[in-house]
Amino acid sequence: GTDEIKLRTGDSSRLIARDANVETYVPVLGSNGSASAPAFGFSSDTNTGMYKEGSDSIGFAVAGVKLAAMNDNTLTVFGASGDNVQIKMYADTGTADNDKYRIEAQHTGGGMEFQTATSGSWASMLTLSPAGNATFAGNITMPAGNSFFLDGGGNSKIEEFATDKVNIQAGGVNLVIDGSGSTALVGINTTAPT
C-alpha cells in the first residue's frame, strides 16, 4: 500500500510499518532486559518499562527499580528501600472520595493498612499488625443469624439469634441480652430472660 513498508518471508507478510502504526503477524521477541534497562521501554525514559524478571515471570520497572513482578498466579508489588508500598483502587475516575481505596504495607514496624479517602485525605479503616492484632476504625457489621467467633474452637462467640436479641457465649456459659421489648432483659443460660 501507499506510505508503508512490508516485510515478507515465504510469500507472507510478517510486519507492516505505516506512518501511524506498526502491524505484526508474528510474535515480537525482545531481549530479557533488566530493571535498570527494560527490554520494552520508552525512548524518553529508558529505565522505565517491562522486562523478563525470571522464568515465566514479567517484571515492571520504574526509574530503574523493580516495582512489580507477575507470574502465572501472583502479582507482587515492591517498594523502594525504606518506603511504604501502596496499591490504590478507584471505583471510577477517582474524583469522589468514597470511590478511593488503597492497601498500604508499612516499612516502619511492618503491618498493613486498608484505607479509604475521607474529606480529601486518606484514613485507615483497618490496621493489621505483625503481631496479628487487628484495629478497626469503624463498626464491624455482620448479617443477622451469623456468629462472630472469638476462638478457633467455636466455644466463644457473639451472635444475634433473633431480632434485637444477642447471645454472648464463653465456653458453656451463655449471657443473653434481650432488647426487643420496652425494657432490656439479661439472662444467663437461657434464650428467654425474664
Side-chain angles (χ1 to χ4, degrees), residues 72-131:
D72 63 340
N73 62 9
T74 305
L75 171 64
T76 305
V77 179
F78 303 92
S81 179
D83 287 346
N84 295 345
V85 177
Q86 297 176 356
I87 299 175
K88 294 182 181 179
M89 295 157 281
Y90 294 162
D92 50 30
T93 60
T95 55
D97 275 349
N98 60 345
D99 292 336
K100 296 180 183 180
Y101 304 92
R102 76 178 178 190
I103 301 169
E104 179 176 275
Q106 300 169 340
H107 168 72
T108 305
M112 179 173 281
E113 288 190 11
F114 295 81
Q115 304 171 338
T116 186
T118 305
S119 301
S121 62
W122 291 101
S124 293
M125 302 309 292
L126 168 64
T127 303
L128 304 175
S129 76

Short mmCIF file of all heavy atoms in Angstrom, two decimals, residues 72-131:
data_model
loop_
_atom_site.label_atom_id
_atom_site.label_comp_id
_atom_site.label_asym_id
_atom_site.label_seq_id
_atom_site.Cartn_x
_atom_site.Cartn_y
_atom_site.Cartn_z
N ASP A 72 2.36 -16.71 36.74
CA ASP A 72 1.07 -17.30 36.37
C ASP A 72 -0.01 -17.18 37.44
O ASP A 72 -1.19 -17.30 37.14
CB ASP A 72 1.24 -18.76 35.95
CG ASP A 72 1.74 -19.63 37.10
OD1 ASP A 72 2.32 -19.08 38.05
OD2 ASP A 72 1.57 -20.86 37.02
N ASN A 73 0.35 -16.91 38.71
CA ASN A 73 -0.69 -16.83 39.74
C ASN A 73 -0.47 -15.76 40.80
O ASN A 73 -1.21 -15.68 41.76
CB ASN A 73 -0.88 -18.20 40.42
CG ASN A 73 0.38 -18.65 41.15
OD1 ASN A 73 1.34 -17.90 41.29
ND2 ASN A 73 0.37 -19.88 41.61
N THR A 74 0.57 -14.92 40.64
CA THR A 74 0.87 -13.95 41.68
C THR A 74 1.31 -12.61 41.09
O THR A 74 2.11 -12.59 40.15
CB THR A 74 2.00 -14.46 42.61
OG1 THR A 74 1.63 -15.74 43.13
CG2 THR A 74 2.24 -13.51 43.76
N LEU A 75 0.80 -11.53 41.63
CA LEU A 75 1.30 -10.19 41.35
C LEU A 75 1.94 -9.69 42.63
O LEU A 75 1.28 -9.58 43.66
CB LEU A 75 0.18 -9.25 40.91
CG LEU A 75 0.55 -7.77 40.79
CD1 LEU A 75 1.59 -7.55 39.70
CD2 LEU A 75 -0.67 -6.92 40.54
N THR A 76 3.24 -9.41 42.58
CA THR A 76 3.97 -8.94 43.75
C THR A 76 4.39 -7.50 43.51
O THR A 76 4.93 -7.18 42.45
CB THR A 76 5.23 -9.80 44.00
OG1 THR A 76 4.83 -11.17 44.10
CG2 THR A 76 5.91 -9.39 45.30
N VAL A 77 4.11 -6.62 44.48
CA VAL A 77 4.46 -5.21 44.36
C VAL A 77 5.57 -4.91 45.35
O VAL A 77 5.51 -5.32 46.51
CB VAL A 77 3.23 -4.32 44.63
CG1 VAL A 77 3.59 -2.86 44.51
CG2 VAL A 77 2.10 -4.67 43.68
N PHE A 78 6.60 -4.20 44.89
CA PHE A 78 7.76 -3.86 45.71
C PHE A 78 7.84 -2.36 45.91
O PHE A 78 7.44 -1.60 45.04
CB PHE A 78 9.05 -4.33 45.03
CG PHE A 78 9.08 -5.80 44.73
CD1 PHE A 78 8.65 -6.27 43.51
CD2 PHE A 78 9.53 -6.71 45.67
CE1 PHE A 78 8.66 -7.63 43.21
CE2 PHE A 78 9.55 -8.06 45.39
CZ PHE A 78 9.11 -8.52 44.16
N GLY A 79 8.39 -1.94 47.03
CA GLY A 79 8.64 -0.53 47.26
C GLY A 79 10.13 -0.27 47.26
O GLY A 79 10.93 -1.20 47.40
N ALA A 80 10.50 0.98 47.06
CA ALA A 80 11.91 1.33 47.17
C ALA A 80 12.34 1.13 48.61
O ALA A 80 11.53 1.16 49.53
CB ALA A 80 12.11 2.77 46.72
N SER A 81 13.60 0.90 48.82
CA SER A 81 14.12 0.65 50.16
C SER A 81 13.71 1.77 51.12
O SER A 81 13.92 2.95 50.84
CB SER A 81 15.65 0.56 50.12
OG SER A 81 16.16 0.34 51.41
N GLY A 82 13.06 1.41 52.22
CA GLY A 82 12.64 2.38 53.22
C GLY A 82 11.29 3.01 52.97
O GLY A 82 10.83 3.82 53.75
N ASP A 83 10.63 2.63 51.88
CA ASP A 83 9.33 3.22 51.56
C ASP A 83 8.19 2.26 51.87
O ASP A 83 8.36 1.04 51.83
CB ASP A 83 9.23 3.58 50.07
CG ASP A 83 10.07 4.79 49.70
OD1 ASP A 83 10.50 5.51 50.63
OD2 ASP A 83 10.30 5.00 48.50
N ASN A 84 7.01 2.81 52.16
CA ASN A 84 5.79 2.01 52.22
C ASN A 84 5.37 1.65 50.80
O ASN A 84 5.72 2.34 49.85
CB ASN A 84 4.67 2.78 52.91
CG ASN A 84 4.96 3.07 54.36
OD1 ASN A 84 5.85 2.48 54.96
ND2 ASN A 84 4.21 3.98 54.94
N VAL A 85 4.63 0.57 50.66
CA VAL A 85 4.13 0.15 49.35
C VAL A 85 2.63 0.33 49.35
O VAL A 85 1.95 -0.07 50.29
CB VAL A 85 4.49 -1.33 49.06
CG1 VAL A 85 3.90 -1.77 47.74
CG2 VAL A 85 5.99 -1.52 49.07
N GLN A 86 2.09 0.92 48.28
CA GLN A 86 0.66 1.17 48.21
C GLN A 86 0.08 0.61 46.92
O GLN A 86 0.71 0.69 45.87
CB GLN A 86 0.37 2.67 48.23
CG GLN A 86 0.81 3.36 49.50
CD GLN A 86 0.60 4.86 49.43
OE1 GLN A 86 0.19 5.39 48.41
NE2 GLN A 86 0.86 5.54 50.52
N ILE A 87 -1.11 0.04 47.03
CA ILE A 87 -1.91 -0.34 45.88
C ILE A 87 -3.19 0.46 45.98
O ILE A 87 -3.92 0.34 46.97
CB ILE A 87 -2.21 -1.85 45.85
CG1 ILE A 87 -0.91 -2.65 45.77
CG2 ILE A 87 -3.14 -2.19 44.70
CD1 ILE A 87 -1.12 -4.14 45.86
N LYS A 88 -3.46 1.30 44.99
CA LYS A 88 -4.66 2.14 45.01
C LYS A 88 -5.69 1.58 44.05
O LYS A 88 -5.35 1.09 42.98
CB LYS A 88 -4.31 3.57 44.62
CG LYS A 88 -3.41 4.27 45.62
CD LYS A 88 -3.13 5.69 45.21
CE LYS A 88 -2.21 6.37 46.20
NZ LYS A 88 -1.91 7.76 45.81
N MET A 89 -6.96 1.67 44.45
CA MET A 89 -8.08 1.21 43.63
C MET A 89 -9.13 2.29 43.59
O MET A 89 -9.57 2.76 44.64
CB MET A 89 -8.66 -0.09 44.22
CG MET A 89 -7.68 -1.25 44.17
SD MET A 89 -8.06 -2.51 45.40
CE MET A 89 -7.38 -1.76 46.88
N TYR A 90 -9.53 2.68 42.39
CA TYR A 90 -10.58 3.68 42.22
C TYR A 90 -11.78 3.02 41.57
O TYR A 90 -11.65 2.33 40.57
CB TYR A 90 -10.10 4.84 41.34
CG TYR A 90 -8.99 5.68 41.96
CD1 TYR A 90 -8.21 6.50 41.18
CD2 TYR A 90 -8.73 5.62 43.33
CE1 TYR A 90 -7.19 7.27 41.74
CE2 TYR A 90 -7.72 6.38 43.89
CZ TYR A 90 -6.95 7.21 43.10
OH TYR A 90 -5.96 7.96 43.67
N ALA A 91 -12.97 3.23 42.14
CA ALA A 91 -14.18 2.62 41.61
C ALA A 91 -14.59 3.24 40.28
O ALA A 91 -15.25 2.62 39.48
CB ALA A 91 -15.31 2.73 42.62
N ASP A 92 -14.20 4.50 40.05
CA ASP A 92 -14.47 5.14 38.76
C ASP A 92 -13.26 5.98 38.41
O ASP A 92 -12.15 5.50 38.46
CB ASP A 92 -15.78 5.93 38.79
CG ASP A 92 -15.85 6.87 40.00
OD1 ASP A 92 -14.79 7.34 40.45
OD2 ASP A 92 -16.96 7.16 40.46
N THR A 93 -13.43 7.25 38.13
CA THR A 93 -12.31 8.10 37.76
C THR A 93 -11.47 8.52 38.96
O THR A 93 -10.42 9.12 38.81
CB THR A 93 -12.81 9.38 37.07
OG1 THR A 93 -13.68 10.09 37.96
CG2 THR A 93 -13.54 9.04 35.78
N GLY A 94 -11.96 8.19 40.15
CA GLY A 94 -11.22 8.53 41.36
C GLY A 94 -11.42 9.95 41.83
O GLY A 94 -10.67 10.44 42.65
N THR A 95 -12.44 10.63 41.33
CA THR A 95 -12.66 12.02 41.72
C THR A 95 -13.45 12.14 43.02
O THR A 95 -13.28 13.09 43.76
CB THR A 95 -13.42 12.78 40.60
OG1 THR A 95 -14.62 12.07 40.29
CG2 THR A 95 -12.55 12.89 39.36
N ALA A 96 -14.31 11.16 43.30
CA ALA A 96 -15.11 11.20 44.54
C ALA A 96 -14.38 10.45 45.64
O ALA A 96 -13.83 9.39 45.42
CB ALA A 96 -16.48 10.57 44.29
N ASP A 97 -14.37 11.05 46.85
CA ASP A 97 -13.66 10.43 47.97
C ASP A 97 -14.13 9.00 48.24
O ASP A 97 -13.32 8.12 48.51
CB ASP A 97 -13.85 11.26 49.25
CG ASP A 97 -12.83 12.39 49.33
OD1 ASP A 97 -11.88 12.39 48.53
OD2 ASP A 97 -12.99 13.26 50.19
N ASN A 98 -15.43 8.77 48.20
CA ASN A 98 -15.94 7.46 48.60
C ASN A 98 -15.65 6.38 47.55
O ASN A 98 -16.03 5.24 47.73
CB ASN A 98 -17.44 7.53 48.90
CG ASN A 98 -18.24 7.97 47.70
OD1 ASN A 98 -17.70 8.48 46.73
ND2 ASN A 98 -19.54 7.79 47.78
N ASP A 99 -14.98 6.71 46.47
CA ASP A 99 -14.64 5.74 45.45
C ASP A 99 -13.14 5.40 45.47
O ASP A 99 -12.65 4.74 44.57
CB ASP A 99 -15.01 6.26 44.05
CG ASP A 99 -16.51 6.36 43.87
OD1 ASP A 99 -17.23 5.63 44.58
OD2 ASP A 99 -16.95 7.14 43.03
N LYS A 100 -12.41 5.89 46.46
CA LYS A 100 -10.97 5.68 46.51
C LYS A 100 -10.60 4.75 47.66
O LYS A 100 -11.04 4.93 48.79
CB LYS A 100 -10.24 7.01 46.72
CG LYS A 100 -10.40 8.00 45.60
CD LYS A 100 -9.64 9.27 45.92
CE LYS A 100 -9.83 10.33 44.88
NZ LYS A 100 -9.09 11.56 45.21
N TYR A 101 -9.79 3.75 47.35
CA TYR A 101 -9.32 2.80 48.36
C TYR A 101 -7.85 2.52 48.12
O TYR A 101 -7.37 2.59 46.99
CB TYR A 101 -10.12 1.49 48.28
CG TYR A 101 -11.61 1.71 48.42
CD1 TYR A 101 -12.41 1.90 47.30
CD2 TYR A 101 -12.20 1.77 49.67
CE1 TYR A 101 -13.77 2.13 47.43
CE2 TYR A 101 -13.56 2.00 49.81
CZ TYR A 101 -14.33 2.18 48.68
OH TYR A 101 -15.67 2.41 48.83
N ARG A 102 -7.14 2.15 49.18
CA ARG A 102 -5.76 1.71 48.99
C ARG A 102 -5.36 0.75 50.11
O ARG A 102 -5.90 0.79 51.22
CB ARG A 102 -4.79 2.87 48.89
CG ARG A 102 -4.45 3.57 50.19
CD ARG A 102 -3.45 4.70 49.95
NE ARG A 102 -3.15 5.40 51.20
CZ ARG A 102 -2.47 6.53 51.26
NH1 ARG A 102 -2.02 7.09 50.16
NH2 ARG A 102 -2.26 7.11 52.41
N ILE A 103 -4.43 -0.11 49.76
CA ILE A 103 -3.82 -1.03 50.72
C ILE A 103 -2.37 -0.60 50.83
O ILE A 103 -1.70 -0.39 49.82
CB ILE A 103 -3.91 -2.49 50.21
CG1 ILE A 103 -5.36 -2.89 49.99
CG2 ILE A 103 -3.22 -3.44 51.20
CD1 ILE A 103 -5.52 -4.21 49.26
N GLU A 104 -1.90 -0.46 52.05
CA GLU A 104 -0.53 0.01 52.27
C GLU A 104 0.22 -0.94 53.18
O GLU A 104 -0.21 -1.22 54.30
CB GLU A 104 -0.55 1.41 52.87
CG GLU A 104 0.83 1.98 53.14
CD GLU A 104 0.77 3.41 53.64
OE1 GLU A 104 0.70 4.32 52.79
OE2 GLU A 104 0.77 3.61 54.86
N ALA A 105 1.33 -1.47 52.68
CA ALA A 105 2.25 -2.27 53.51
C ALA A 105 3.27 -1.30 54.09
O ALA A 105 3.91 -0.54 53.36
CB ALA A 105 2.94 -3.33 52.67
N GLN A 106 3.40 -1.30 55.41
CA GLN A 106 4.22 -0.30 56.08
C GLN A 106 5.64 -0.79 56.29
O GLN A 106 5.87 -1.89 56.79
CB GLN A 106 3.58 0.07 57.41
CG GLN A 106 2.19 0.64 57.24
CD GLN A 106 1.44 0.77 58.54
OE1 GLN A 106 1.77 0.13 59.54
NE2 GLN A 106 0.42 1.59 58.54
N HIS A 107 6.58 0.07 55.90
CA HIS A 107 8.00 -0.26 56.05
C HIS A 107 8.43 -0.21 57.51
O HIS A 107 9.08 -1.12 58.02
CB HIS A 107 8.86 0.70 55.21
CG HIS A 107 10.32 0.60 55.52
ND1 HIS A 107 11.08 -0.48 55.14
CD2 HIS A 107 11.14 1.41 56.20
CE1 HIS A 107 12.32 -0.31 55.56
NE2 HIS A 107 12.38 0.83 56.21
N THR A 108 8.07 0.85 58.22
CA THR A 108 8.48 1.02 59.61
C THR A 108 7.58 0.20 60.53
O THR A 108 6.38 0.46 60.61
CB THR A 108 8.44 2.50 60.02
OG1 THR A 108 9.23 3.25 59.10
CG2 THR A 108 8.94 2.69 61.44
N GLY A 109 8.10 -0.80 61.17
CA GLY A 109 7.34 -1.60 62.11
C GLY A 109 6.51 -2.70 61.48
O GLY A 109 5.89 -3.49 62.17
N GLY A 110 6.46 -2.74 60.16
CA GLY A 110 5.66 -3.76 59.49
C GLY A 110 4.18 -3.46 59.60
O GLY A 110 3.76 -2.39 60.01
N GLY A 111 3.38 -4.40 59.24
CA GLY A 111 1.94 -4.22 59.31
C GLY A 111 1.36 -3.78 57.99
O GLY A 111 2.06 -3.53 57.01
N MET A 112 0.03 -3.69 57.97
CA MET A 112 -0.69 -3.35 56.76
C MET A 112 -1.91 -2.53 57.12
O MET A 112 -2.54 -2.76 58.15
CB MET A 112 -1.08 -4.63 56.03
CG MET A 112 -1.86 -4.43 54.77
SD MET A 112 -2.09 -5.98 53.90
CE MET A 112 -0.50 -6.14 53.14
N GLU A 113 -2.24 -1.56 56.26
CA GLU A 113 -3.43 -0.74 56.46
C GLU A 113 -4.33 -0.81 55.24
O GLU A 113 -3.85 -0.82 54.11
CB GLU A 113 -3.06 0.73 56.71
CG GLU A 113 -2.44 0.99 58.06
CD GLU A 113 -2.30 2.47 58.35
OE1 GLU A 113 -2.87 3.30 57.61
OE2 GLU A 113 -1.62 2.80 59.34
N PHE A 114 -5.64 -0.87 55.49
CA PHE A 114 -6.65 -0.75 54.45
C PHE A 114 -7.29 0.62 54.65
O PHE A 114 -7.82 0.90 55.73
CB PHE A 114 -7.68 -1.87 54.56
CG PHE A 114 -7.09 -3.23 54.32
CD1 PHE A 114 -6.41 -3.90 55.33
CD2 PHE A 114 -7.20 -3.82 53.07
CE1 PHE A 114 -5.86 -5.15 55.10
CE2 PHE A 114 -6.64 -5.07 52.83
CZ PHE A 114 -5.97 -5.73 53.84
N GLN A 115 -7.21 1.47 53.64
CA GLN A 115 -7.61 2.86 53.80
C GLN A 115 -8.65 3.26 52.75
O GLN A 115 -8.76 2.66 51.70
CB GLN A 115 -6.38 3.77 53.65
CG GLN A 115 -5.26 3.42 54.61
CD GLN A 115 -3.97 4.17 54.30
OE1 GLN A 115 -3.76 4.63 53.19
NE2 GLN A 115 -3.11 4.29 55.30
N THR A 116 -9.37 4.33 53.08
CA THR A 116 -10.28 4.95 52.12
C THR A 116 -10.10 6.46 52.24
O THR A 116 -9.64 6.96 53.27
CB THR A 116 -11.75 4.55 52.38
OG1 THR A 116 -12.56 5.08 51.34
CG2 THR A 116 -12.24 5.06 53.72
N ALA A 117 -10.44 7.18 51.18
CA ALA A 117 -10.30 8.63 51.19
C ALA A 117 -11.51 9.26 51.87
O ALA A 117 -12.64 8.93 51.57
CB ALA A 117 -10.16 9.16 49.78
N THR A 118 -11.23 10.15 52.82
CA THR A 118 -12.28 10.86 53.55
C THR A 118 -11.90 12.33 53.61
O THR A 118 -10.81 12.66 54.07
CB THR A 118 -12.42 10.30 54.98
OG1 THR A 118 -12.64 8.90 54.90
CG2 THR A 118 -13.57 10.95 55.71
N SER A 119 -12.80 13.21 53.16
CA SER A 119 -12.58 14.66 53.18
C SER A 119 -11.23 15.04 52.56
O SER A 119 -10.50 15.87 53.08
CB SER A 119 -12.67 15.19 54.61
OG SER A 119 -13.93 14.91 55.15
N GLY A 120 -10.88 14.38 51.47
CA GLY A 120 -9.67 14.74 50.74
C GLY A 120 -8.38 14.14 51.25
O GLY A 120 -7.31 14.42 50.71
N SER A 121 -8.43 13.34 52.31
CA SER A 121 -7.20 12.71 52.81
C SER A 121 -7.48 11.24 53.11
O SER A 121 -8.62 10.83 53.29
CB SER A 121 -6.69 13.44 54.05
OG SER A 121 -7.64 13.36 55.10
N TRP A 122 -6.41 10.45 53.19
CA TRP A 122 -6.54 9.02 53.43
C TRP A 122 -6.74 8.74 54.91
O TRP A 122 -6.09 9.34 55.76
CB TRP A 122 -5.29 8.29 52.93
CG TRP A 122 -5.20 8.31 51.44
CD1 TRP A 122 -4.41 9.12 50.67
CD2 TRP A 122 -5.91 7.48 50.53
NE1 TRP A 122 -4.60 8.85 49.34
CE2 TRP A 122 -5.52 7.84 49.22
CE3 TRP A 122 -6.85 6.46 50.67
CZ2 TRP A 122 -6.02 7.23 48.09
CZ3 TRP A 122 -7.36 5.86 49.53
CH2 TRP A 122 -6.94 6.24 48.26
N ALA A 123 -7.65 7.80 55.23
CA ALA A 123 -7.92 7.42 56.62
C ALA A 123 -7.91 5.90 56.71
O ALA A 123 -8.44 5.21 55.84
CB ALA A 123 -9.27 7.96 57.07
N SER A 124 -7.28 5.37 57.75
CA SER A 124 -7.21 3.93 57.95
C SER A 124 -8.53 3.39 58.44
O SER A 124 -9.12 3.92 59.37
CB SER A 124 -6.12 3.57 58.95
OG SER A 124 -4.85 3.88 58.42
N MET A 125 -9.02 2.34 57.80
CA MET A 125 -10.24 1.67 58.23
C MET A 125 -9.92 0.40 59.00
O MET A 125 -10.62 0.00 59.90
CB MET A 125 -11.12 1.34 57.02
CG MET A 125 -11.49 2.57 56.19
SD MET A 125 -12.18 3.94 57.15
CE MET A 125 -13.72 3.28 57.66
N LEU A 126 -8.81 -0.26 58.61
CA LEU A 126 -8.38 -1.50 59.26
C LEU A 126 -6.86 -1.52 59.25
O LEU A 126 -6.24 -1.29 58.22
CB LEU A 126 -8.93 -2.72 58.51
CG LEU A 126 -8.35 -4.09 58.88
CD1 LEU A 126 -8.67 -4.44 60.33
CD2 LEU A 126 -8.88 -5.16 57.94
N THR A 127 -6.26 -1.78 60.42
CA THR A 127 -4.81 -1.91 60.53
C THR A 127 -4.49 -3.28 61.08
O THR A 127 -5.06 -3.71 62.09
CB THR A 127 -4.23 -0.83 61.47
OG1 THR A 127 -4.60 0.46 60.98
CG2 THR A 127 -2.73 -0.94 61.56
N LEU A 128 -3.60 -3.99 60.39
CA LEU A 128 -3.13 -5.31 60.83
C LEU A 128 -1.68 -5.19 61.26
O LEU A 128 -0.85 -4.72 60.49
CB LEU A 128 -3.26 -6.33 59.70
CG LEU A 128 -4.66 -6.50 59.09
CD1 LEU A 128 -4.61 -7.44 57.91
CD2 LEU A 128 -5.63 -6.99 60.14
N SER A 129 -1.39 -5.61 62.49
CA SER A 129 -0.02 -5.50 62.99
C SER A 129 0.73 -6.82 62.74
O SER A 129 0.11 -7.86 62.55
CB SER A 129 -0.03 -5.20 64.49
OG SER A 129 -0.36 -6.37 65.22
N PRO A 130 2.07 -6.78 62.75
CA PRO A 130 2.84 -8.01 62.58
C PRO A 130 2.56 -9.04 63.67
O PRO A 130 2.74 -10.23 63.47
CB PRO A 130 4.30 -7.54 62.63
CG PRO A 130 4.26 -6.09 62.33
CD PRO A 130 2.94 -5.60 62.83
N ALA A 131 2.09 -8.57 64.84
CA ALA A 131 1.79 -9.48 65.95
C ALA A 131 0.44 -10.17 65.78
O ALA A 131 0.05 -11.00 66.60
CB ALA A 131 1.81 -8.71 67.26
#
